[in-house]
């Protein structure tokens, strides 16, 4: 067991550096369902099998054809005539023996007829090239079961993705430019005492040049506040004046020349961000005020219980501030000074987390749940990421497709420029309509291309009419979509396979923020767009 | 029509790693029939999470060969040739490159990228360049004469550390890690005079004075019999018998030498510590146990690292012994004892120099230049660049784009950011018609070898340069023929009459590349800077850069190592990765994210123009008479 653990660590080394052991664990516990093993479908699954999801199940009632083999890497000539789910499972399984591959040789429609609860068991369902009717049925089953649903389609040189998830919470959103949480503007008492323990003037030279910049800024800020009516430097001019004061604090040698004190340079450099006022981000305030946060029941997911506990903390012990994050950046200092400063923050973070835990415990008790139903580890992680918590909510497919709730504004405003990626969304909808009427896609048979063009145009017009969309779709696009003949070029499938798998990993691991809610890729111009539909 | 040209088109894929595997699959399934793939690397376990053509049973085998076999299993009709070799091998000359209609780079290091760029320019073959970062990608095309070449925009040079910092005054963990890797090579690996680990007495900052001699003598006495000699000499003197040298007792002794006595010696160079916190020597006897158990992401106590050091030295020395006389070990981040050794040695040194110690996981990241890598990003980029390849083959170079994939949608909700390819830079020292460059250095202190290795090979990416002085006599300074000019190696350039304003004509016959180097003599280079290329400010933050500049700084970001990665060699992970600062990225993308018009004309690609050949500029064919044949009247001088 220990040996397999070590070899897994080796095999997954490069990705552990992205999402950590706990992220990997969520992947290994995930069961992914793929509906339809087309080229796009198997490309997505390949990119999930390689990083090691726990299991996958392919649902596909199709038999492998010659065309399938032409663009799908995970089907070979020997698979022609076999069930597509089975053939693809065998080859996908080869890539990673840690993954358990399963298949169901049935069409999704049949499964939905006989056993809709079949789909409830999955961490995420990925539906590829579904006809509109199947997509809507599956979508509503998954929506009511709160199973995330990722709809994907490669149509000629267009890629399409739609994420359907009622609510997706993210604790580790991995923000790019997170500000440090240093509390220089409102030092807690332990930090205040620590600052007091330094006396920059009486230090020897070595200690002076090895004092962490946080202490330097804190010291000069104290001085500034006493001289400026307790108002911290706010605008550029004041901040510059404050920097100048720090610069003047650099020790001078016997000739009056300033010494080379890198810690002071760091202090000057960090003034701007260090003086940022500590406050609860507005996005988080909104979450605090949301229904889920304020109405805790025994059914409430752990995320919201913990969020509510943080809210309680802010209103009580925190006196308006979030729990201290407890980390400080690397800086010039000797080990002893750095570590003792680090410990001040770390211990305060531990105290705050403990206070949040108390609230969690109380909340759980109030709804009759045992305190251990939420682990200390999870609370700690949430407290550490409190400023960066994110909740993604998508509209349901039913809302998107209903004449009453269609997002007309988004569509018409995008279509102000007639070549916006939105046009491809409308074309895909029109093509779906064509399929519903003719049980085949436009242009699949060469001899029909001409007549299909006019048929597709009818579909476009009826779509626009139905939703009373006053937009213009160029004939060029109608020709182009007929020319595609529902082809699925491998390179476009490969691109979409990478993108969709990445989003699936975000959903599974609850790390990083997934897109919301529609993504269009245009392989002709190599452009893409995210739309809200 | 395009389909026909695909099956007859011959394409070269350079690299069979993360992007290479995806690329091979995409090419085969798009209908390319004739593919050659080259990679010098072998398969490692850590490749398996994304390089899907490889399985556990393939570990240790050639990437190119296995990739070929796996791809053929799926598509038996393809005609794939695999080379387990370096693309920089002279066998792959211009003739070799001319066989192809298209070259696609899936490389991880700049040296090879530069080289392939030049070969493609010389052979007049279009090149598609690509690279990925953990969540940002890029692909672009290079078409001679019409677009920028890879080297048109200066790339930030790879970060190296001055010898004195490594040997005397480390201030960051990375300095200690580099030192530990040097130490590994000193003790177990290949000799390299540039990788000295013992204190550098020539450090100008230490400014040795006669009165310091006493202190030095005291420190020397503590060494007992051991004179202040290089680590390697010391190791040799401790025993011609490898068993004695590395048995348990000497392992302790060795660690004291490195972590106690060398540090005592450094302390005597007190000038160094006036402004810095002085290091604290370690004493094996005094250290006490503090913590046990080895877990990757945990930081051990000092004693823990002492034990780890001792243990890894024992293991490594027995490995060395097993390999027999004259054997050498090669440091490999994926070899546990080698990684243990560097973790322990680097951490002990960090402790001595008052830095916070790092876990093995973190040390591995830095020592191995590891960049996170996943399957999804490679899949995306490989999909993009094959489409670009199709455009080239369809003759639509003008529609080709440099494409960036952002980590998250930018302000205009775009994930993909295509940019029009720039025309060639007139000042490019590679693709300009007569490339010229001015280099600033001290002619009295720069040796011929330094010119060859540091400037011509490392900085300008040549493989086997010939150098002729334009002094009217055509004096040959460096010849790529073996045995002709080696005697010059350690002479200074001034010995050959090179001075301010001298011009050197440098040729690399393999790359079919000639560069004229203008010498600017200076005595005012910063300490530890050997030379400076005029007109470049490497490692400076780009001041409001134009889009394309920004783009290039992303492509070749700070992680682009100068050396190819191999499983058995030290550097880098097998995917080239650029860390994209999202601030810059956003600025760049919002400025450039004009959705390219997808008008109807673009899609009708059959009536493509064919005139691109006429716009190509003639390649410099100027042949140097210099080192080509040695029986002409050029005098080869070797000073004594």
């Amino acid at each position: 067991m220990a040996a397999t653990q070590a070899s897994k660590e080796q095999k997954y080394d490069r990705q552990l550096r992205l999402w950590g052991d706990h992220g990997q664990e969520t992947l290994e516990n995930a069961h992914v369902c793929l509906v339809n093993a087309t080229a796009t479908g198997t490309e997505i699954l390949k990119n999930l099998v390689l990083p090691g999801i726990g299991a996958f199940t392919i649902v596909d009632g199709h038999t492998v054809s010659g065309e399938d083999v032409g663009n799908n890497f995970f089907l070979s000539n020997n698979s022609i005539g076999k069930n597509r789910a089975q053939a693809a499972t065998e080859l996908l399984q080869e890539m990673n023996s840690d993954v358990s591959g399963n298949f169901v040789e049935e069409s999704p429609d049949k499964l939905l007829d006989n056993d809709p609860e079949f789909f409830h068991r999955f961490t995420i369902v990925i539906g590829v090239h579904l006809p509109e009717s199947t997509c809507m049925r599956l979508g509503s089953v998954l929506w009511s079961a709160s199973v995330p649903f990722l709809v994907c389609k490669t149509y000629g040189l267009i890629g399409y993705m739609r994420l359907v998830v009622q609510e997706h919470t993210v604790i580790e959103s991995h923000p790019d430019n997170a500000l440090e949480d240093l509390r220089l503007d409102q030092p807690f008492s332990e930090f205040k005492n620590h600052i007091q323990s330094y006396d920059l003037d009486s230090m020897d030279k070595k200690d002076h040049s090895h004092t962490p910049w946080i202490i330097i800024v804190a010291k000069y800020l104290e001085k500034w506040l006493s001289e400026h009516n307790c108002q911290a430097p706010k605008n550029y001019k004041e901040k510059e004046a404050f920097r100048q004061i720090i610069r003047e604090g650099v020790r001078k040698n016997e000739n009056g020349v300033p010494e080379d004190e890198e810690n002071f340079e760091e202090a000057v450099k960090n003034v701007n961000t260090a003086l940022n006022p500590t406050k609860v981000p507005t996005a988080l305030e909104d979450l605090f005020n949301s229904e889920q946060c304020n109405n805790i029941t025994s059914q409430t997911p752990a995320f919201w219980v913990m969020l509510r506990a943080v809210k309680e903390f802010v209103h009580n012990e925190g006196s308006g501030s979030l729990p201290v994050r407890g980390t400080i950046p690397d800086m010039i200092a000797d080990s002893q000074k750095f570590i003792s400063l680090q410990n001040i923050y770390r211990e305060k973070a531990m105290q705050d987390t403990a206070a949040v835990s108390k609230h969690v415990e109380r909340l759980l008790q109030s709804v009759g749940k045992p305190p251990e139903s939420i682990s200390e580890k999870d609370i700690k992680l949430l407290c550490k990421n409190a400023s960066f918590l994110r909740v993604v909510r998508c509209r349901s497919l039913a809302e998107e497709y209903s004449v009453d709730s269609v997002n007309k504004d988004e569509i018409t405003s995008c279509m102000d420029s007639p070549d916006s990626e939105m046009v491809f969304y409308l074309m895909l909808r029109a093509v779906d309509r064509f399929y519903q009427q003719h049980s085949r896609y436009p242009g699949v048979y060469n001899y029909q291309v001409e007549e299909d063009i006019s048929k597709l145009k009818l579909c476009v017009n009826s779509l626009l009419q139905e939703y009373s969309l006053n937009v213009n779709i160029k004939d060029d696009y109608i020709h182009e979509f007929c020319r595609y003949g529902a082809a699925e070029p491998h390179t476009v499938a490969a691109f979409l396979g990478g993108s969709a798998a990445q989003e699936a990993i975000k959903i599974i691991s609850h790390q990083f923020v997934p897109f919301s809610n529609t993504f269009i890729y245009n392989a002709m111009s190599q452009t893409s767009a995210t739309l809200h539909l | 029509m395009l389909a026909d040209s695909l099956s007859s088109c011959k394409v070269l894929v350079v690299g069979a790693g993360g992007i290479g595997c995806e690329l091979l699959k995409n090419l085969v399934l798009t209908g390319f029939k004739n593919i050659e793939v080259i990679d010098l690397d072998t398969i490692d376990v850590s490749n398996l999470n994304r390089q899907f053509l490889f399985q556990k049973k393939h570990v240790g085998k050639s990437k190119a060969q296995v990739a070929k076999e796996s791809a053929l299993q799926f598509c038996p009709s393809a005609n794939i040739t695999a080379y387990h070799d370096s693309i920089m091998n002279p066998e792959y000359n211009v003739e070799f490159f001319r066989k192809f209609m298209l070259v696609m780079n899936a490389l991880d290091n700049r040296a090879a990228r530069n080289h392939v760029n030049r070969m493609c320019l010389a052979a007049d073959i279009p090149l598609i360049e690509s690279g990925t970062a953990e969540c940002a990608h890029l692909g672009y095309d290079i078409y001679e004469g019409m677009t920028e070449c890879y080297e048109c925009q200066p790339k930030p040079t790879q970060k190296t550390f001055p010898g004195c910092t490594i040997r005397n005054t480390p201030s960051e963990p990375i300095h200690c890690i580099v030192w530990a890797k040097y130490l590994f090579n000193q003790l177990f690996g290949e000799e390299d005079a540039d990788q000295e680990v013992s204190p550098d007495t020539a450090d100008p900052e230490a400014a040795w004075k006669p009165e310091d001699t006493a202190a030095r003598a005291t420190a020397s006495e503590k060494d007992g019999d051991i004179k202040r000699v290089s680590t390697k000499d010391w190791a040799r003197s401790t025993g011609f018998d490898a068993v004695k040298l590395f048995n348990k007792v000497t392992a302790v002794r060795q660690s004291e030498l490195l972590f106690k006595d060398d540090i005592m010696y450094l302390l005597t160079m007190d000038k160094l510590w006036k402004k810095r916190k002085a290091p604290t020597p370690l004493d094996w006897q005094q250290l006490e146990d503090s913590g046990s158990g080895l877990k990757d992401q945990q930081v051990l106590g000092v004693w823990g690292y002492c034990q780890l050091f001792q243990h890894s030295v024992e293991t490594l020395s027995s490995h060395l012994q097993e390999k027999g006389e004259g054997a050498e070990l090669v440091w490999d981040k994926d070899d546990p004892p080698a990684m243990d050794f560097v973790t322990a040695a680097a951490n002990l040194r960090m402790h001595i120099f008052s830095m916070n110690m790092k876990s093995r996981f973190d040390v591995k990241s830095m020592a191995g230049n590891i960049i996170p890598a996943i399957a999804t990003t490679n899949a995306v980029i490989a999909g993009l660049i094959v489409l670009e390849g199709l455009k080239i083959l369809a003759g639509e170079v003008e529609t080709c784009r440099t494409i960036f994939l952002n980590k998250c949608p930018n302000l205009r909700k775009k994930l993909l950011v295509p940019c029009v390819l720039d025309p060639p830079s007139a000042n490019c020292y590679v693709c300009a018609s007569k490339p010229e460059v001015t280099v600033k250095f001290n002619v009295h202190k720069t040796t011929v070898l330094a010119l060859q290795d540091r400037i011509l090979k490392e900085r300008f990416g040549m493989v086997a340069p010939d150098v002729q002085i334009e002094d009217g006599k055509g004096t040959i300074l460096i010849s790529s023929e073996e045995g002709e000019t080696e005697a010059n190696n350690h002479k200074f350039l001034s010995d050959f009459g090179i001075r301010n304003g001298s011009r050197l004509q440098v040729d690399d016959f393999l790359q079919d590349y000639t560069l004229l180097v203008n010498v600017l003599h200076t005595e005012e280079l910063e300490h530890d800077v050997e030379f400076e290329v005029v007109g470049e400010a490497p490692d400076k933050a780009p001041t409001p850069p134009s889009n394309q500049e920004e783009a290039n700084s992303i492509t070749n970001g700070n992680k682009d190592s100068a050396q190819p990665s191999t499983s058995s060699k030290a550097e880098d992970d097998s995917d080239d990765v650029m860390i994209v600062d999202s601030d810059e990225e956003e600025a760049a993308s919002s400025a450039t994210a004009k959705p390219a018009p997808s008008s109807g004309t673009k899609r009708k690609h059959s009536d493509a123009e064919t005139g691109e050949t006429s716009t190509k500029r003639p390649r410099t064919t100027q042949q140097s008479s210099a080192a080509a044949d040695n029986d002409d009247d050029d005098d080869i001088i070797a000073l004594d």
Side-chain angles (χ1 to χ4, degrees), chain A residues 15 17 43 46 502 524, chain B residues 22 25 49 365 376 603:
Chain A
Q15 66 200 42
R17 289 163 200 280
E43 287 298 311
K46 158 182 140 285
Q502 188 57 60
M524 286 172 278
Chain B
E22 298 281 343
K25 175 202 72 181
N49 80 329
S365 274
T376 52
R603 280 172 272 118

Side-chain angles (χ1 to χ4, degrees), chain A residues 182-187 191 195 213-215 217-218 221 225 274-275 278 345:
Chain A
L182 301 176
R183 309 286 163 116
L184 282 161
D185 58 331
Q186 34 184 280
F191 182 33
I195 299 168
W213 69 257
I214 293 179
I215 302 286
V217 172
L221 189 61
L225 291 175
L275 293 183
T278 306
Y345 282 98

Side-chain angles (χ1 to χ4, degrees), chain B residues 245-315:
Chain B
L245 178 61
F246 292 113
N247 71 20
K248 193 178 166 186
V249 181
T250 45
V252 174
R253 187 72 195 85
Q254 175 68 8
S255 69
E256 285 207 359
L257 181 96
L258 292 164
F259 300 112
K260 184 181 170 193
D261 298 347
D262 268 1
I263 301 301
M264 300 281 264
Y265 188 71
L266 269 181
L267 282 172
T268 67
M269 297 155 80
D270 53 359
K271 268 262 165 65
L272 292 177
W273 314 115
K274 290 223 163 105
K275 285 187 205 157
R276 296 180 176 89
K277 186 180 154 72
T280 327
L282 286 177
D283 189 325
W284 187 276
Q285 309 296 332
Q286 285 171 14
L287 288 165
E288 286 175 21
D289 199 345
S290 58
S292 57
L294 301 181
K295 179 75 172 68
D296 233 19
Q297 300 185 30
Q298 161 187 336
V299 177
L300 304 176
V302 177
W303 178 246
Y305 284 120
C306 288
Q307 287 175 315
L308 185 64
F309 183 80
Q310 180 180 359
H311 184 74
S312 59
V313 168
E314 281 169 20
T315 316

Side-chain angles (χ1 to χ4, degrees), chain B residues 65-106:
Chain B
Q65 194 59 39
V66 175
K68 168 194 161 170
E69 284 160 15
S70 300
L72 280 182
Q73 266 183 17
F74 291 98
C75 300
S77 64
N79 175 20
I80 305 176
T81 312
Y83 303 90
H84 182 202
D85 205 347
S86 163
I87 191 65
M88 294 169 78
N89 188 321
E91 253 173 64
Y92 309 108
N93 52 18
V94 174
E95 283 312 305
F96 173 84
F97 276 84
R98 284 212 179 106
K99 290 194 300 195
F100 303 99
M101 276 178 77
L102 185 62
V103 177
M104 298 179 120
N105 267 352

